[in-house]
Amino acid sequence: MINVRHLQVFRAIMQMGTVSGASRVLNVSQPALTKSLQILEGRLGVTLFERIKGRLQPTPDSQTLMPEVEKLFGVLRTVEHLADEIKN
């Protein structure tokens, strides 16, 4: 099963454009993010980023996946808001 944390790492890298930017946003080390991304790619069986001239470039597969990941995080926000309403 896919781990939501791994998807969060993928999403942060896509949004920030770099692993270092994503590591600052998520407050996690770059090696930990790289490992998480490798695990996600292994689970999905696709390459999400290519290294071109030392920079990560999203693959077409990652571009296809990103809208669905955004939908997932939208649903998670909805669940959090609903849980807050129930609690209050």
Side-chain angles (χ1 to χ4, degrees):
M1 178 173 266
I2 296 172
N3 184 313
V4 175
R5 178 63 175 170
H6 297 153
L7 291 175
Q8 184 181 35
V9 166
F10 163 72
R11 181 175 178 242
I13 294 170
M14 288 290 286
Q15 290 175 335
M16 301 306 295
T18 64
V19 173
S20 61
S23 83
R24 282 191 303 273
V25 168
L26 296 175
N27 200 29
V28 178
S29 72
Q30 290 181 26
L33 289 186
T34 300
K35 181 67 175 170
S36 182
L37 181 60
Q38 290 170 342
I39 291 169
L40 178 62
E41 288 177 323
R43 291 256 163 78
L44 296 176
V46 297
T47 300
L48 297 171
F49 297 92
E50 297 284 345
R51 275 216 180 266
I52 300 173
K53 296 182 183 179
R55 298 191 60 106
L56 288 181
Q57 297 294 321
T59 63
D61 291 333
S62 67
Q63 298 289 352
T64 301
L65 185 62
M66 188 60 178
E68 297 303 317
V69 170
E70 288 295 354
K71 285 181 193 174
L72 172 66
F73 280 91
V75 170
L76 289 173
R77 279 190 300 276
T78 300
V79 169
E80 286 176 338
H81 290 136
L82 181 58
D84 286 341
E85 286 179 18
I86 291 169
K87 184 171 49 177
N88 295 326

